[in-house]
Amino acid sequence: MRAKSLLLIATLAAILTIPASAFDFDYSCSKTFDDYYFGGEYLYFTCTIIPASSSDSKQADDTEYTFLTNLDSSAITVTVEFKDGKKHLHPAPDDDYEKINGTTLSFYIPETDDGVEEIQVAVSGYVPVIEKRLENISALKVTADEELFDLQITVVNKQKFYSDLKEFEKESCADEKKLREAKTLYNEGKYSEAEKLLAEVEEAINECHFRTLKEKYDEEIDDLKSQLSKITTTLAFIQYRLDYDREKIENYDEMMEEWRNLTLQREQLDNEIDELVELVSKGQFSAADEKIESISSNLTSLKVRAETLKESINVKNTFEFDLVTLAIIAGGVAVIIVTVYTIVSIRRRDKW
């Protein structure tokens, strides 16, 4: 009983994973497709779509259909045969027929009394030259409200495979064992298995490069933070002078306004450094380079302005004393006079 329940659950799960279609159908194609294709190969094939029952034949009409192929210099022709024997040929003048990244044909099958007998599709074109090592493309994809089927072929770029293998062999952080296995699979024509291993090798190399670059950028960020910290110290000293010697500074209002401007610029640069850290963490190094150049330039400008402000604080040249200060000075003068008088008196006695 337990085994039957598990089998029923597995069957239901399998059914649920099959994409639903507008109607049940069978289809067959005139060609048995190879495991791999290479750019430039010519393909021609036909496929026939047959509704599974009379009710499905009726559901197959009154519907918008789209046929697509990713083949280059391609063409699609479709013949719709109805139960009453009539046939419609597409593309017709009112159909949408586009040749962008392959060919797409869209048209509407009108409602009929008995429905559709079968749909015959003919496709021709050349396998495109891909930029990746390996890629699946649609030789024929058919939709009617939702996808009916997508007939894909696997395209291989042997030149890209070869150049990547050679390039990865130069990398110090490449997994040599996986690289050797991938090379063997490639030579044996097992391109999907070779691609799987090469993708793992490439990902590890990219992660290695990222770590190395991130360390470099982290050092530059630390240097920028150090520069900003020194400027912050200068601005703090200026703030202290402005607060402590406020009554003695001739150009106080002017100095205070400049200090506020420089403080705002310092805060802005602090925020920009935070943005730079975020760019580096995401691996957006080109944007990080531009940000570093901008921050460095602004730090240099801010440093010059802060030092100029520091040297521009002018203290009033006053000579004002309070009573205590005058008493101290007077006392000092008196001591000097007494000392001088005593020395003169002694010298006179010595002389006599």
Side-chain angles (χ1 to χ4, degrees):
M1 184 69 180
R2 176 181 171 82
K4 290 183 178 179
S5 298
L6 291 174
L7 179 60
L8 177 60
I9 292 172
T11 303
L12 288 173
I15 292 172
L16 290 174
T17 58
I18 299 174
S21 62
F23 57 92
D24 290 332
F25 64 95
D26 295 317
Y27 80 93
S28 60
C29 297
S30 61
K31 180 178 180 59
T32 300
F33 293 92
D34 298 334
D35 292 336
Y36 304 105
Y37 288 89
F38 305 94
E41 290 188 67
Y42 179 75
L43 286 181
Y44 172 81
F45 62 94
T46 61
C47 294
T48 302
I49 302 169
I50 302 175
S53 65
S54 297
S55 61
D56 291 315
S57 294
K58 277 297 298 171
Q59 293 180 40
D61 64 11
D62 191 21
T63 302
E64 181 82 16
Y65 284 79
T66 298
F67 299 80
L68 175 146
T69 180
N70 291 137
L71 297 177
D72 285 343
S73 302
S74 51
I76 299 175
T77 58
V78 177
T79 302
V80 180
E81 183 176 346
F82 297 94
K83 286 284 189 178
D84 60 6
K86 294 180 181 179
K87 294 183 179 181
H88 287 179
L89 180 63
H90 301 274
D94 294 335
D95 296 343
D96 291 329
Y97 194 58
E98 297 181 349
K99 290 183 175 291
I100 302 174
N101 297 324
T103 299
T104 302
L105 169 62
S106 296
F107 58 86
Y108 172 73
I109 294 181
E111 186 177 5
T112 62
D113 292 335
D114 300 319
V116 175
E117 178 70 22
E118 65 178 26
I119 301 172
Q120 298 175 350
V121 188
V123 179
S124 62
Y126 294 88
V127 176
V129 177
I130 60 173
E131 295 183 0
K132 299 178 181 179
R133 292 184 294 267
L134 182 145
E135 184 176 359
N136 293 326
I137 69 164
S138 294
L140 176 61
K141 180 178 179 180
V142 183
T143 59
D145 293 332
E146 57 262 349
E147 182 179 306
L148 298 184
F149 64 88
D150 186 3
L151 181 60
Q152 295 193 338
I153 59 173
T154 301
V155 183
V156 176
N157 185 336
K158 295 182 70 174
Q159 290 75 18
K160 179 63 174 173
F161 256 109
Y162 181 79
S163 62
D164 283 354
L165 281 166
K166 290 298 181 183
E167 192 66 28
F168 295 162
E169 286 175 349
K170 302 175 185 176
E171 297 288 345
S172 58
C173 48
D175 188 323
E176 295 182 2
K177 181 180 178 182
K178 286 185 177 180
L179 200 54
R180 285 195 300 270
E181 292 177 6
K183 190 173 183 179
T184 299
L185 290 169
Y186 167 76
N187 290 330
E188 293 174 351
K190 299 177 180 178
Y191 301 111
S192 294
E193 293 90 336
E195 169 61 22
K196 181 179 179 181
L197 283 177
L198 273 186
E200 294 175 0
V201 171
E202 186 173 18
E203 182 180 0
I205 290 173
N206 290 337
E207 289 177 357
C208 181
H209 286 173
F210 175 81
R211 288 193 300 270
T212 302
L213 278 173
K214 189 174 183 302
E215 289 174 2
K216 169 183 169 291
Y217 281 97
D218 285 344
E219 290 177 1
E220 294 192 47
I221 290 171
D222 289 341
D223 180 61
L224 294 176
K225 287 181 177 179
S226 177
Q227 294 181 51
L228 185 61
S229 178
K230 291 177 182 178
I231 294 172
T232 302
T233 301
T234 301
L235 291 176
F237 173 79
I238 294 172
Q239 182 184 17
Y240 170 79
R241 285 291 312 277
L242 292 173
D243 291 343
Y244 185 77
D245 293 330
R246 177 170 184 168
E247 301 302 328
K248 300 177 183 179
I249 296 175
E250 293 179 348
N251 50 350
Y252 174 81
D253 291 338
E254 179 185 343
M255 298 296 100
M256 195 63 187
E257 181 64 23
E258 177 67 358
W259 176 83
R260 290 193 185 99
N261 292 335
L262 296 182
T263 300
L264 287 174
Q265 187 176 352
R266 188 211 69 81
E267 292 174 357
Q268 181 179 349
L269 284 173
D270 194 22
N271 292 332
E272 288 187 18
I273 290 176
D274 289 340
E275 293 172 4
L276 173 61
V277 171
E278 186 70 15
L279 289 173
V280 171
S281 68
K282 293 179 179 179
Q284 299 176 5
F285 297 123
S286 295
D289 287 336
E290 294 179 6
K291 180 69 74 174
I292 287 173
E293 184 177 353
S294 173
I295 292 173
S296 297
S297 175
N298 290 330
L299 277 173
T300 300
S301 174
L302 182 60
K303 179 181 178 182
V304 171
R305 289 177 62 188
E307 292 294 336
T308 301
L309 177 61
K310 180 181 176 183
E311 300 299 325
S312 300
I313 300 176
N314 297 323
V315 177
K316 297 177 183 178
N317 187 15
T318 59
F319 197 74
E320 299 174 357
F321 301 96
D322 56 23
L323 294 177
V324 175
T325 303
L326 289 173
I328 293 173
I329 294 176
V333 172
V335 170
I336 293 173
I337 293 173
V338 171
T339 303
V340 171
Y341 176 79
T342 302
I343 293 173
V344 172
S345 299
I346 292 173
R347 286 183 176 177
R348 286 180 178 176
R349 286 198 300 270
D350 289 342
K351 183 177 181 181
W352 293 105

